[in-house]
Amino acid sequence: MKIAVVGATGMVGRHVVEILEAGGHDVVAVSRSAGVDVITGDGLDAALTGVECVIEVSNAGTIDQAAATEFFTTAVRNLMEAGRRAGVRRMVVLSILAVDRFSGGYMAAKAEQERVALAGPIPVRILRAAQFHEFAAQNLEWGRQGDVSHVPSNRVQPVAARTVAEALADLATAPGAEDAPPISNIAGPREEDLVDMATRLAARRGDPPRVEGVEQPGDPDFELVKSGVLLAGPDTVLAGPTFEEWLATAT
């Protein structure tokens, strides 16, 4: 197949590209660095010429709800319209586990992206993924203050970005994928504590010297997160590796 990957250079996108190319597919890397802008639409019609499926894994680059919502909805509308003109048959969109239960922030922006995508002219398959193993490193960076990193005390069920990429590739290419439910869920095999994940990663790296857990009671979805909303539900596919296994091979 000829498949366009939007956000091809990102954490998940680069794995998606590698997996698809290894499977013999013709991959179009859609990113600004490749001269394609999904917000302005520049280069989009040319990029989608002959494409059968679009995999959308781009990131807004902000957690501000209004800005993220504008990015995600504009991008998916432009992709839908350009895809319709090009004869694209399917779109696969990466989303977040339980995103429809959140009331604000980045999660609400992703939920709006889902709504716009499902209302578009091209059939859509949405994969809601748990937080990635790789988020432990991001949280260490975001919460860094000198020799201490402050990390949210959240219960999560993390999954490797590579594992998510494999699932996205399957939704794009597997026979019968068009008959799959419009929304599916994926998470890792074990519940973890985000502070513990960050602490183990920091110990492996030797930096920062200290990790401290913090609560976020000002978050409107604080109680929802504390209740375990980010954990796998009964309809979630569980896929390894565990965080411990992933950490053993992480660089």
Side-chain angles (χ1 to χ4, degrees), residues 120-193:
I122 300 172
V124 173
R125 295 295 174 264
I126 293 171
L127 179 66
R128 291 177 175 172
Q131 283 62 42
F132 304 135
H133 294 326
E134 289 83 351
F135 281 175
Q138 289 188 337
N139 276 275
L140 285 176
E141 179 182 343
W142 292 336
R144 184 73 180 251
Q145 293 180 331
D147 289 337
V148 181
S149 278
H150 298 93
V151 175
S153 299
N154 292 344
R155 297 160 60 206
V156 295
Q157 195 154 341
V159 63
R162 179 80 181 192
T163 300
V164 173
E166 291 168 349
L168 290 166
D170 283 345
L171 282 173
T173 64
E178 63 275 5
D179 298 322
I183 299 175
S184 54
N185 304 288
I186 189 169
R190 287 178 48 181
E191 176 183 337
E192 302 281 358
D193 178 85

Side-chain angles (χ1 to χ4, degrees), residues 88-112:
V88 170
R89 300 203 305 261
R90 183 187 313 161
M91 183 180 294
V92 178
V93 177
L94 175 61
S95 191
I96 305 170
L97 202 66
V99 72
D100 56 329
R101 297 182 59 188
F102 284 77
S103 62
Y106 186 87
M107 295 291 225
K110 288 294 289 183
E112 186 61 24

Side-chain angles (χ1 to χ4, degrees), residues 4-232:
V5 180
V6 183
T9 59
M11 180 186 296
V12 176
R14 60 186 177 86
H15 289 298
V16 174
V17 170
E18 184 179 298
I19 291 163
L20 291 173
E21 289 182 338
H25 300 284
D26 181 7
V27 179
V28 179
V30 176
S31 65
R32 287 180 179 174
S33 61
V36 185
D37 192 322
V38 295
I39 301 302
T40 66
D42 290 346
L44 200 50
D45 284 324
L48 297 188
T49 299
V51 165
E52 299 171 68
C53 179
V54 173
I55 301 179
E56 166 45 317
V57 292
S58 63
N59 189 11
T62 177
I63 60 172
D64 177 78
Q65 182 177 342
T69 299
E70 178 66 18
F71 175 88
F72 286 127
T73 57
T74 299
V76 81
R77 287 190 179 103
N78 287 343
L79 286 165
M80 280 285 177
E81 287 306 310
R84 179 184 57 79
R85 291 191 294 269
V88 170
R89 300 203 305 261
R90 183 187 313 161
M91 183 180 294
V92 178
V93 177
L94 175 61
S95 191
I96 305 170
L97 202 66
V99 72
D100 56 329
R101 297 182 59 188
F102 284 77
S103 62
Y106 186 87
M107 295 291 225
K110 288 294 289 183
E112 186 61 24
Q113 180 194 36
E114 287 190 359
R115 286 189 284 272
V116 172
L118 289 169
I122 300 172
V124 173
R125 295 295 174 264
I126 293 171
L127 179 66
R128 291 177 175 172
Q131 283 62 42
F132 304 135
H133 294 326
E134 289 83 351
F135 281 175
Q138 289 188 337
N139 276 275
L140 285 176
E141 179 182 343
W142 292 336
R144 184 73 180 251
Q145 293 180 331
D147 289 337
V148 181
S149 278
H150 298 93
V151 175
S153 299
N154 292 344
R155 297 160 60 206
V156 295
Q157 195 154 341
V159 63
R162 179 80 181 192
T163 300
V164 173
E166 291 168 349
L168 290 166
D170 283 345
L171 282 173
T173 64
E178 63 275 5
D179 298 322
I183 299 175
S184 54
N185 304 288
I186 189 169
R190 287 178 48 181
E191 176 183 337
E192 302 281 358
D193 178 85
L194 187 55
V195 176
D196 182 61
M197 291 168 60
T199 299
R200 282 187 276 168
L201 179 60
R204 178 179 173 85
R205 292 179 171 179
D207 183 73
R210 190 155 51 98
V211 176
E212 293 183 357
V214 294
E215 301 289 356
Q216 299 173 303
D219 183 342
D221 294 304
F222 173 76
E223 294 297 336
L224 186 65
V225 173
K226 297 303 287 185
S227 72
V229 71
L230 298 176
L231 304 179

